[in-house]
Amino acid sequence: MPKPSSRISGITPSGKDGWEVHFAAWQRLEAGEDIIMLSVGDHDFHTPAETVEAGVAALRAGHHHYTQLPGIPALREAMARISTRCAGVKTSPEQIIATPGGQASLYAAVQGVLDPGDHAIVVAPYYATYPGTFRAAGADFTVVETRATDGFQPDPKAIEAAVRPNTRAMLINTPNNPTGAVYSVTSLEGIADICRRHDLWLLSDEVYWTLGDSEHLSPRALPGMEERTLVINSMSKSHGMTGWRLGWLTGPQELITLLISLNLVITYGLTDFVSRAAIEALNNDYGVEQIAALYAGRRKLFLDAVRGMNNVTVRGSEGGMYAMLDISAVEPDDEKFAWTFLDRENVGVMPGSSFGDAAAGHIRISLCQPEPILLEAADRLRRFVSTYRREAA
């Protein structure tokens, strides 16, 4: 066949994206093996029934036609209200563009602020799609690693050292996937200071904002940041709507207006009945408190079960849907650890190095399983670590 574009062939240049253990575990589960899947952040429960019924009602009412490119007005209004609550900054519907999922919001943000050849800074550990999203825009980027011993809090001095003359943007994620770290006020103020002094855009992935262990702080609320911050948000985690593909981007009205043209050439608007179900979910907070409480309980249960485990240390793990475990004292090669854990104990986890060098020597545990299964996984991990240490000795 003719040669494909470098734009798509360069998204995962090595041909390896870090998800190999997850896909292998999934295949074994589908084949009927007793696999505990702790490798993906998809809820083990269905979307709240009220949201589903709103979608069904919208379908029956005939809402299955084209929609406005930035999202139907009532959807943008609902998203603006949630954004005001999320950031503590008054937000208008004109500062919102609705997208098919949080990843599409991230893609829109990167496309909106970076030209080919521009440079960005990515604070790691990071969600696995971040590098490919920048490559798809033809942008260069530098990964700035946080330190596990600091609870994966960003170091403003390290970030400052990565700034170049052509740096245009920085991407952060708090509460963080994969570490569960919630960035402190001090960390965010240091990041904001760098963005103001170097005239950078800040891309702030806040899709886990309802799942922190304390009140959420968005950098958009800090002095001088509203006009330079783009907040990526989604209904997947907060409202239990992963498969509905609904997200949004919040930012300065002038940029959001320009991004409407991106929806024109990519999505041509969103699905009508899904949008109307989302309006009901946003306006009524369907599932929000219950989902937040569920993951807070699971996080405490699992962390209590693994604390004190020989040579395994909890890092970050303050919010989101994940726990991050330092297993480097057991096996420095986290990918080898994950493969061997899957083979011997039938538990699928994500190697930390899939999310950047900062998480090397760690495994990410998804909390998207019922409590008895999480406790069983903790038991299997304890047995595996004990056996692995004896063999290694």
Side-chain angles (χ1 to χ4, degrees):
M1 69 177 186
K3 182 181 177 181
S5 74
S6 58
R7 182 178 298 106
I8 64 166
S9 59
I11 291 176
T12 52
S14 67
K16 191 165 183 268
D17 58 12
W19 288 84
E20 289 80 14
V21 180
H22 164 69
F23 289 130
W26 201 349
Q27 288 175 350
R28 295 182 192 184
L29 180 67
E30 291 292 312
E33 295 186 39
D34 174 28
I35 303 293
I36 295 179
M37 294 291 294
L38 303 181
S39 52
V40 67
D42 194 356
H43 306 296
D44 58 306
F45 50 84
H46 294 315
T47 300
E50 299 93 336
T51 304
V52 174
E53 290 306 314
V56 171
L59 267 171
R60 289 176 172 160
H63 295 299
H64 27 74
H65 297 277
Y66 289 133
T67 61
Q68 294 94 325
L69 292 174
I72 61 178
L75 178 61
R76 295 177 83 191
E77 290 171 5
M79 289 174 168
R81 284 194 295 273
I82 294 296
S83 292
T84 297
R85 197 165 82 200
C86 171
V89 177
K90 179 65 177 175
T91 305
S92 70
E94 292 73 28
Q95 293 174 293
I96 299 288
I97 187 165
T99 61
Q103 176 59 36
S105 292
L106 173 63
Y107 182 82
V110 170
Q111 292 287 330
V113 304
L114 293 169
D115 286 317
D118 282 346
H119 176 257
I121 295 170
V122 181
V123 177
Y126 49 73
Y127 180 54
T129 68
Y130 287 1
T133 305
F134 284 107
R135 293 188 192 109
D140 189 16
F141 61 93
T142 297
V143 174
V144 176
E145 308 286 356
T146 57
R147 290 187 293 268
T149 52
D150 293 336
F152 295 109
Q153 289 293 321
D155 179 1
K157 291 182 179 178
I159 294 172
E160 179 102 42
V163 176
R164 302 178 185 174
N166 66 331
T167 303
R168 299 288 177 264
M170 185 193 315
L171 173 58
I172 65 171
N173 171 212
T174 179
N176 183 259
N177 175 13
T179 69
V182 177
Y183 291 175
S184 67
V185 175
T186 301
S187 295
L188 291 176
E189 287 178 339
I191 287 170
D193 177 62
I194 293 169
C195 290
R196 289 189 297 261
R197 286 188 290 105
H198 293 279
D199 195 25
L200 305 182
W201 287 99
L202 181 60
L203 313 184
S204 183
D205 182 343
E206 302 179 29
V207 301
Y208 293 96
W209 75 279
T210 61
L211 302 181
D213 65 349
S214 58
E215 186 175 351
H216 178 69
L217 173 62
S218 171
R220 184 169 174 251
L222 297 177
M225 292 304 293
E226 181 180 358
E227 62 267 27
R228 63 177 66 254
T229 302
L230 295 173
V231 177
I232 294 100
N233 225 318
S234 168
M235 301 191 68
S236 292
K237 315 303 183 184
S238 57
H239 292 76
M241 297 177 68
T242 52
W244 296 70
R245 310 313 304 133
L246 241 301
W248 72 96
L249 187 67
T250 306
Q253 182 176 340
E254 295 81 1
L255 182 65
I256 295 298
T257 299
L258 290 172
L259 283 173
I260 293 173
S261 298
L262 189 65
N263 273 7
L264 172 66
V265 297
I266 295 180
T267 66
Y268 206 81
L270 297 181
T271 308
D272 194 359
F273 65 89
V274 170
S275 298
R276 294 175 191 276
I279 293 167
E280 292 294 317
L282 288 165
N283 287 342
N284 295 284
D285 284 339
Y286 289 151
V288 175
E289 290 186 5
Q290 296 91 332
I291 292 170
L294 178 70
Y295 283 110
R298 289 178 175 182
R299 188 182 311 114
K300 183 179 186 307
L301 177 92
F302 184 80
L303 294 182
D304 286 347
V306 299
R307 282 197 173 96
M309 189 179 294
N310 288 340
N311 291 330
V312 174
T313 304
V314 176
R315 305 289 190 187
S317 306
E318 300 146 347
M321 299 160 57
Y322 311 101
M324 181 65 82
L325 304 182
D326 184 342
I327 47 81
S328 59
V330 180
E331 169 56 66
D333 185 339
D334 56 81
E335 190 168 347
K336 179 181 178 182
F337 184 100
W339 278 113
T340 310
F341 189 32
L342 174 62
D343 289 338
R344 296 185 185 175
E345 294 290 347
N346 288 350
V347 180
V349 299
M350 283 293 286
S353 55
S354 301
F355 307 98
D357 291 343
H362 294 71
I363 56 171
R364 189 194 74 171
I365 303 292
S366 168
L367 302 175
C368 298
Q369 291 288 355
E371 292 186 355
I373 294 179
L374 291 175
L375 289 175
E376 171 63 22
D379 287 343
R380 294 188 191 186
L381 179 62
R382 187 178 298 275
R383 181 173 62 207
F384 174 75
V385 167
S386 176
T387 303
Y388 198 99
R389 286 194 303 112
R390 284 200 298 270
E391 291 181 357

